[in-house]
């Protein structure tokens, strides 16, 4: 199978995956032995994936009580062709932002350079705290010359 056909099959498969629902994975909440209180559960959800700088990107959020941390995931958009050399390392410029919907406050923004090899890369954003019931919207952009970012977004509500 030539590279163009393989890329087309990979993009078609990713399009099908990208239209699926967001995933949630709750962590275990053990009971404290001495206090009898439970540890807050961390719930991880991810938004739809998108292609940026020739790579597959996705924005996820970890919510624990009244705190949220967004993190971006960058990976290859498809498998390399058999017999082809390993993909070259890419210098990426990543931008992560988080805003409290309806608060009027400016978004928290983080710019961070990253080096991408052929393994999945995770870019963590700052931890934010907000009152229960607040909706937090995050965006994750990846740029690499000559490609401009096309940010992916994800929104979570702190249900405490």
């Amino acid at each position: 199978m030539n590279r163009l056909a393989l890329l087309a099959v990979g993009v078609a498969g990713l399009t099908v995956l990208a239209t699926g629902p967001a995933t949630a994975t709750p962590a275990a909440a053990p009971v404290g032995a001495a206090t009898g209180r439970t540890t807050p559960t961390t719930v991880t959800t991810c938004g739809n994936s998108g292609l940026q700088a020739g790579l597959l990107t996705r924005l996820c959020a970890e919510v624990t009580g009244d705190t949220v941390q967004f993190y971006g995931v960058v990976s290859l958009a498809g498998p390399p062709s058999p017999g082809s050399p390993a993909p070259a390392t890419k210098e990426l410029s990543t931008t992560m932002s988080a805003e409290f919907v309806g608060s009027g406050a400016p978004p928290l923004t983080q710019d961070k350079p990253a080096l991408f090899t052929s393994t999945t890369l995770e870019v963590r954003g700052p931890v934010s705290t907000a009152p229960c019931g607040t909706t937090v919207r995050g965006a994750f952009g990846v740029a690499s010359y000559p490609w401009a970012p096309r940010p992916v977004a994800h929104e979570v509500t702190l249900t405490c």
Side-chain angles (χ1 to χ4, degrees):
M1 185 180 274
N2 69 25
R3 288 183 185 186
L4 185 56
L6 185 59
L7 179 61
V9 169
V11 169
L14 290 173
T15 302
V16 170
L17 290 175
T19 59
T23 58
T25 310
V31 175
T35 63
R37 298 185 335 201
T38 60
T39 304
T41 301
T42 298
V43 177
T44 301
T45 59
C46 295
N48 291 333
S49 57
L51 292 174
Q52 297 184 72
L55 300 168
L56 183 70
T57 60
R58 176 172 272 187
L59 182 63
C60 298
E62 290 179 346
V63 178
T64 306
D66 64 350
T67 63
V68 62
Q69 181 177 34
F70 285 101
Y71 64 93
V73 179
V74 181
S75 62
L76 290 174
S81 297
S84 65
T89 299
K90 282 189 176 188
E91 291 183 31
L92 304 177
S93 175
T94 67
T95 302
M96 177 101 49
S97 67
E99 69 175 308
F100 302 104
V101 177
S103 72
L108 304 169
T109 304
Q110 166 188 292
D111 295 319
K112 191 183 276 188
L115 287 177
F116 178 78
T117 57
S118 58
T119 59
T120 300
L121 173 68
E122 194 173 279
V123 180
R124 293 229 164 232
V127 176
S128 304
T129 303
C132 297
T134 302
T135 299
V136 186
R137 180 181 302 129
F140 178 57
V142 175
S144 178
Y145 182 79
W147 295 292
R150 295 182 57 199
V152 291
H154 184 51
E155 202 170 89
V156 294
T157 301
L158 304 179
T159 57
C160 305

